[in-house]
Amino acid sequence: MADGAQSAEDPRSARTPRSTPDTPDAPDSPDAAETDAQRRRRRAQFLRELHEAKALRDRVQPRRVKAARMRQAMRMRTFRW
């Protein structure tokens, strides 16, 4: 019950920012818009790196890529509208 009273007193304790103070891009007092922008930048960077890693894997393992294409083609042929 004490936890509920504590969270009612301090609404910021329920939601903590994802960035840690030791990261260089973490501001001293982040507001919601800045935090969302940082999250979107981190997500975009992650998706770029993920796409790059998948492309690299496709280049170095062509047999796996061909098999995946064949499986996808089979799925599309057996799909019913």
Side-chain angles (χ1 to χ4, degrees):
M1 190 92 152
D3 292 336
Q6 182 183 7
S7 64
E9 291 173 12
D10 188 13
R12 291 174 291 155
S13 66
R15 183 177 166 200
T16 59
R18 290 180 182 223
S19 60
T20 58
D22 60 340
T23 56
D25 62 342
D28 293 337
S29 59
D31 56 63
E34 191 173 20
T35 303
D36 289 343
Q38 288 176 348
R39 185 187 64 83
R40 285 193 298 270
R41 279 194 297 272
R42 282 195 317 268
R43 182 175 186 272
Q45 178 67 27
F46 170 76
L47 291 175
R48 279 193 298 270
E49 290 175 358
L50 180 65
H51 182 70
E52 181 181 344
K54 286 183 179 181
L56 175 64
R57 186 184 64 194
D58 291 350
R59 284 195 306 272
V60 298
Q61 295 179 339
R63 189 182 309 173
R64 177 181 288 181
V65 176
K66 182 177 178 184
R69 274 198 312 265
M70 297 296 281
R71 283 193 299 272
Q72 177 65 18
M74 185 61 70
R75 272 194 300 260
M76 294 307 289
R77 278 195 297 263
T78 59
F79 184 76
R80 295 186 187 252
W81 292 97

